[in-house]
Short mmCIF file of all heavy atoms in Angstrom, two decimals:
data_model
loop_
_atom_site.label_atom_id
_atom_site.label_comp_id
_atom_site.label_asym_id
_atom_site.label_seq_id
_atom_site.Cartn_x
_atom_site.Cartn_y
_atom_site.Cartn_z
N ALA A 158 67.85 41.26 98.53
CA ALA A 158 67.55 40.83 97.17
C ALA A 158 67.14 42.00 96.29
O ALA A 158 67.45 42.03 95.09
CB ALA A 158 66.44 39.78 97.18
N HIS A 159 66.44 42.98 96.87
CA HIS A 159 65.90 44.06 96.05
C HIS A 159 66.64 45.38 96.22
O HIS A 159 66.21 46.40 95.67
CB HIS A 159 64.41 44.24 96.39
CG HIS A 159 63.61 43.01 96.11
ND1 HIS A 159 62.96 42.30 97.10
CD2 HIS A 159 63.38 42.34 94.96
CE1 HIS A 159 62.36 41.26 96.57
NE2 HIS A 159 62.60 41.25 95.28
N SER A 160 67.74 45.36 96.94
CA SER A 160 68.52 46.58 97.09
C SER A 160 69.15 46.98 95.77
O SER A 160 69.69 46.15 95.03
CB SER A 160 69.63 46.36 98.12
OG SER A 160 70.48 47.49 98.18
N THR A 161 69.10 48.28 95.46
CA THR A 161 69.88 48.77 94.32
C THR A 161 71.09 49.58 94.81
O THR A 161 71.71 50.30 94.04
CB THR A 161 69.03 49.63 93.36
OG1 THR A 161 68.73 50.89 93.96
CG2 THR A 161 67.77 48.92 92.95
N SER A 168 71.37 39.16 93.79
CA SER A 168 70.49 40.31 93.62
C SER A 168 69.28 39.97 92.75
O SER A 168 69.42 39.36 91.68
CB SER A 168 71.25 41.47 92.99
OG SER A 168 72.23 41.98 93.88
N GLY A 169 68.10 40.33 93.24
CA GLY A 169 66.86 40.05 92.53
C GLY A 169 66.23 38.72 92.89
O GLY A 169 65.15 38.40 92.41
N ASP A 239 67.05 54.39 98.89
CA ASP A 239 66.92 53.40 97.82
C ASP A 239 65.50 53.36 97.28
O ASP A 239 65.26 53.38 96.06
CB ASP A 239 67.33 52.03 98.37
CG ASP A 239 67.54 50.99 97.28
OD1 ASP A 239 67.61 51.36 96.10
OD2 ASP A 239 67.64 49.79 97.63
N ALA A 243 64.14 54.57 93.48
CA ALA A 243 63.45 53.59 92.63
C ALA A 243 62.03 54.04 92.29
O ALA A 243 61.60 53.99 91.14
CB ALA A 243 63.41 52.23 93.32
N GLU A 247 60.12 54.63 88.81
CA GLU A 247 59.19 53.54 88.48
C GLU A 247 57.74 53.97 88.55
O GLU A 247 56.92 53.53 87.73
CB GLU A 247 59.43 52.37 89.44
CG GLU A 247 58.67 51.11 89.11
CD GLU A 247 59.26 50.37 87.91
OE1 GLU A 247 60.45 50.57 87.59
OE2 GLU A 247 58.50 49.61 87.28
N ASP A 267 56.46 47.95 96.82
CA ASP A 267 56.13 47.12 95.66
C ASP A 267 56.84 47.64 94.41
O ASP A 267 57.41 46.87 93.62
CB ASP A 267 54.62 47.09 95.42
CG ASP A 267 53.87 46.25 96.44
OD1 ASP A 267 54.51 45.43 97.13
OD2 ASP A 267 52.64 46.42 96.57
N ALA A 268 56.81 48.96 94.22
CA ALA A 268 57.47 49.56 93.07
C ALA A 268 58.98 49.36 93.14
O ALA A 268 59.64 49.08 92.13
CB ALA A 268 57.14 51.05 92.99
N TRP A 269 59.54 49.50 94.34
CA TRP A 269 60.98 49.28 94.55
C TRP A 269 61.38 47.85 94.18
O TRP A 269 62.39 47.63 93.50
CB TRP A 269 61.30 49.60 96.00
CG TRP A 269 62.60 49.11 96.54
CD1 TRP A 269 63.85 49.57 96.26
CD2 TRP A 269 62.78 48.04 97.49
NE1 TRP A 269 64.79 48.88 96.97
CE2 TRP A 269 64.16 47.94 97.74
CE3 TRP A 269 61.89 47.20 98.16
CZ2 TRP A 269 64.69 47.00 98.62
CZ3 TRP A 269 62.41 46.27 99.05
CH2 TRP A 269 63.79 46.16 99.27
N ARG A 270 60.59 46.87 94.62
CA ARG A 270 60.92 45.47 94.31
C ARG A 270 60.89 45.22 92.80
O ARG A 270 61.80 44.60 92.24
CB ARG A 270 59.94 44.53 95.02
CG ARG A 270 60.08 44.53 96.54
CD ARG A 270 59.13 43.53 97.17
NE ARG A 270 59.17 43.60 98.63
CZ ARG A 270 58.27 44.21 99.39
NH1 ARG A 270 57.21 44.80 98.81
NH2 ARG A 270 58.40 44.25 100.70
N ASP A 271 59.84 45.69 92.14
CA ASP A 271 59.73 45.48 90.69
C ASP A 271 60.90 46.16 89.96
O ASP A 271 61.48 45.59 89.04
CB ASP A 271 58.40 46.04 90.17
CG ASP A 271 57.20 45.24 90.63
OD1 ASP A 271 57.38 44.08 91.06
OD2 ASP A 271 56.07 45.77 90.57
N HIS A 272 61.20 47.38 90.37
CA HIS A 272 62.27 48.15 89.74
C HIS A 272 63.61 47.43 89.90
O HIS A 272 64.38 47.30 88.93
CB HIS A 272 62.32 49.53 90.39
CG HIS A 272 63.23 50.50 89.73
ND1 HIS A 272 62.87 51.20 88.59
CD2 HIS A 272 64.49 50.91 90.05
CE1 HIS A 272 63.86 51.99 88.24
NE2 HIS A 272 64.86 51.84 89.11
N ALA A 273 63.89 46.96 91.11
CA ALA A 273 65.16 46.29 91.38
C ALA A 273 65.30 45.00 90.59
O ALA A 273 66.36 44.72 90.02
CB ALA A 273 65.29 46.00 92.88
N LYS A 274 64.24 44.21 90.54
CA LYS A 274 64.30 42.96 89.78
C LYS A 274 64.65 43.21 88.32
O LYS A 274 65.49 42.53 87.73
CB LYS A 274 62.96 42.22 89.87
CG LYS A 274 62.68 41.57 91.21
CD LYS A 274 61.28 40.96 91.24
CE LYS A 274 60.96 40.36 92.59
NZ LYS A 274 59.56 39.84 92.66
N GLN A 275 64.01 44.22 87.73
CA GLN A 275 64.26 44.53 86.33
C GLN A 275 65.69 45.03 86.11
O GLN A 275 66.35 44.66 85.14
CB GLN A 275 63.27 45.58 85.85
CG GLN A 275 61.82 45.12 85.81
CD GLN A 275 60.89 46.26 85.44
OE1 GLN A 275 61.11 46.97 84.47
NE2 GLN A 275 59.87 46.47 86.25
N ALA A 276 66.17 45.88 87.02
CA ALA A 276 67.51 46.44 86.86
C ALA A 276 68.59 45.37 86.99
O ALA A 276 69.52 45.30 86.18
CB ALA A 276 67.73 47.54 87.89
N HIS A 277 68.47 44.51 88.01
CA HIS A 277 69.48 43.46 88.20
C HIS A 277 69.42 42.44 87.06
O HIS A 277 70.47 41.96 86.60
CB HIS A 277 69.26 42.77 89.55
CG HIS A 277 69.62 43.63 90.72
ND1 HIS A 277 70.88 44.13 90.93
CD2 HIS A 277 68.86 44.08 91.77
CE1 HIS A 277 70.91 44.84 92.05
NE2 HIS A 277 69.70 44.83 92.57
N ALA A 278 68.22 42.10 86.61
CA ALA A 278 68.08 41.15 85.50
C ALA A 278 68.72 41.71 84.23
O ALA A 278 69.36 40.98 83.46
CB ALA A 278 66.61 40.84 85.25
N ALA A 279 68.55 43.00 84.00
CA ALA A 279 69.12 43.62 82.80
C ALA A 279 70.64 43.48 82.78
O ALA A 279 71.23 43.20 81.73
CB ALA A 279 68.73 45.09 82.75
N PRO A 300 65.01 49.46 83.35
CA PRO A 300 65.02 50.81 83.92
C PRO A 300 66.45 51.34 83.75
O PRO A 300 67.33 51.12 84.58
CB PRO A 300 64.65 50.58 85.39
CG PRO A 300 65.06 49.18 85.68
CD PRO A 300 64.96 48.42 84.39
N THR A 303 68.79 53.26 86.51
CA THR A 303 69.25 52.45 87.64
C THR A 303 70.21 51.37 87.16
O THR A 303 71.23 51.09 87.79
CB THR A 303 68.06 51.82 88.37
OG1 THR A 303 67.24 52.87 88.90
CG2 THR A 303 68.52 50.93 89.52
N LEU A 307 74.19 50.84 88.38
CA LEU A 307 74.74 49.57 88.88
C LEU A 307 75.88 49.09 87.99
O LEU A 307 76.90 48.59 88.49
CB LEU A 307 73.63 48.52 88.94
CG LEU A 307 72.53 48.75 89.98
CD1 LEU A 307 71.38 47.78 89.77
CD2 LEU A 307 73.09 48.64 91.40
#
Side-chain angles (χ1 to χ4, degrees):
H159 299 116
S160 174
T161 72
S168 293
D239 193 12
E247 188 74 23
D267 287 342
W269 164 72
R270 292 182 185 101
D271 290 342
H272 188 80
K274 287 176 183 176
Q275 294 175 51
H277 289 299
T303 298
L307 292 170

